[in-house]
Amino acid sequence: MESQKPHAVLVPYPAQGHVNPLMQLAKLLHSRGLHITFVYTEYHRDRLVRAKGLGSIQGLSDFRFEAIPDGLPPSDNPDATQRTADVCGSTRKHSVAPFKQLLIKLNSTPDIPRVTCVISDAVMSFTVRVAQELGIFEVQFWTASACGLLGYNQYAELVRRGIVPLKGPFDLASFKAHHFIIMVLLAVYEKL
């Protein structure tokens, strides 16, 4: 019965390098029998429809596409790339309520299984709070490389030690320190 299927809601950060890995994961989970809802921002859904047609977002009965607003004002150029900092800040502030409303709508639709899991891009952290409020299991998905994750995890320590930010383009001491840190990160990565 359809209502017994696990239902995963996937929320990528709206950029190609983030959407593609989560779409691959969504397809893999769907092939294993999960009901999937893939959530775009309205801006990126509209861009996709303009580029590929309405058929690009028409899924199957158990693989559906939804959209939520990102909170940014409309652009003069509907195909312009949005600034990363603007999208991050705006979704954090303005996407919480629409995402919560979407999950409530999905859970109250009779022919759709209840949402059992939210899998969101780590950059779309607003989803964590919403999932917790609604008692839904939530997983953060990291779309970058493992080496990139190690670097991000150590960034606060690099700042604390004064290694970053670079003090200037020709700061040899900073360059040597960065070179050392990169070598350490690579050594750690090789042991994983």
Side-chain angles (χ1 to χ4, degrees):
M1 179 201 266
E2 178 74 17
S3 64
Q4 301 292 10
K5 275 184 158 184
H7 180 176
V9 174
L10 287 87
V11 186
Y13 176 78
Q16 185 174 352
H18 296 258
V19 171
N20 289 346
L22 268 168
M23 180 59 77
Q24 291 171 4
L25 177 61
K27 289 177 180 179
L28 179 66
L29 294 172
H30 183 255
S31 74
R32 301 289 186 184
L34 274 74
H35 184 101
I36 301 294
T37 300
F38 199 85
V39 182
Y40 287 108
T41 62
E42 291 172 346
Y43 179 81
H44 284 86
R45 180 217 37 217
D46 295 346
R47 284 184 72 188
L48 181 63
V49 168
R50 276 193 305 281
K52 302 220 176 211
L54 191 57
S56 63
I57 61 165
Q58 291 176 333
L60 306 168
S61 63
D62 60 351
F63 195 122
R64 38 188 307 120
F65 295 92
E66 294 284 348
I68 58 173
D70 58 22
L72 291 172
S75 172
D76 294 337
N77 177 358
D79 290 319
T81 300
Q82 294 174 306
R83 290 187 46 224
T84 300
D86 293 343
V87 174
C88 286
S90 186
T91 55
R92 199 173 302 119
K93 291 178 190 169
H94 302 288
S95 294
V96 173
F99 183 63
K100 186 175 185 178
Q101 291 168 357
L102 173 62
L103 292 179
I104 290 169
K105 177 185 95 171
L106 291 171
N107 279 340
S108 63
T109 304
D111 58 337
I112 298 174
R114 290 189 61 79
V115 176
T116 52
C117 175
V118 172
I119 303 171
S120 64
D121 194 304
V123 181
M124 302 296 268
S125 59
F126 68 89
T127 61
V128 174
R129 181 173 23 148
V130 173
Q132 287 174 344
E133 286 177 17
L134 297 176
I136 300 170
F137 183 72
E138 211 279 340
V139 176
Q140 295 278 277
F141 188 79
W142 185 258
T143 58
S145 68
C147 188
L149 177 60
L150 286 170
Y152 284 112
N153 283 341
Q154 295 303 314
Y155 187 73
E157 180 64 16
L158 299 176
V159 170
R160 188 187 71 71
R161 293 183 183 192
I163 296 169
V164 294
L166 286 175
K167 287 132 186 89
F170 301 106
D171 183 0
L172 189 55
S174 289
F175 175 76
K176 286 181 181 177
H178 276 76
H179 180 73
F180 172 75
I181 295 299
I182 289 169
M183 298 309 291
V184 168
L185 288 173
L186 287 175
V188 169
Y189 176 70
E190 288 175 2
K191 292 183 186 218
L192 292 179

